[in-house]
Amino acid sequence: MKSLLPLALLATLALVALCYESHESMESYEMSPFINRRNANTFMSPQQKWRAKAQERVRERSKPTYELSREACNDYRLCERYAMVYGYNAAYNRYFRQRRGAK
């Protein structure tokens, strides 16, 4: 009987500690997870924006040839359909490479 009272008290404290809902858990209900376009980049400083743009320009210049051919093929519907069956390399060769002897 003596051990029952501390055990009940300990169980009550554990229940209160585990079931307590703090204000921090309600933050997700306060604001929408989506933000409008004007505020989308407000979390980045201007220097970070400049650095990101510069890195994107470097990536655009140094794309591998397979990626360039894949993008060209994605813009042309027939090439894209052909690529679904035979692969992008074969589709690019069929629609965009100059064949020898062809006019």
Side-chain angles (χ1 to χ4, degrees), residues 20-97:
Y20 174 71
E21 190 168 339
S22 68
H23 174 69
E24 294 162 352
S25 67
M26 297 297 288
E27 287 178 357
S28 61
Y29 299 117
E30 292 175 2
M31 53 189 261
S32 174
F34 303 104
I35 57 177
N36 62 16
R37 290 181 183 176
R38 290 184 184 197
N39 297 331
N41 289 328
T42 57
F43 61 92
M44 290 181 69
S45 69
Q47 186 176 9
Q48 288 174 327
K49 288 180 187 178
W50 179 82
R51 187 177 300 139
K53 285 181 183 177
Q55 288 175 349
E56 182 64 27
R57 287 186 189 127
V58 169
R59 276 190 230 110
E60 286 290 326
R61 285 187 196 145
S62 61
K63 279 187 180 179
T65 55
Y66 68 87
E67 191 171 342
L68 291 172
S69 64
R70 185 174 187 147
E71 286 179 359
C73 196
N74 281 338
D75 292 338
Y76 187 51
R77 172 90 58 204
L78 290 175
C79 182
E80 189 176 10
R81 287 182 185 166
Y82 192 85
M84 292 299 165
V85 178
Y86 299 105
Y88 280 98
N89 194 20
Y92 183 80
N93 288 338
R94 177 176 176 148
Y95 288 101
F96 295 108
R97 295 250 191 239

Side-chain angles (χ1 to χ4, degrees), residues 1-14:
M1 187 73 170
K2 289 181 181 179
S3 65
L4 187 61
L5 184 62
L7 186 62
L9 185 61
L10 186 63
T12 305
L13 287 174

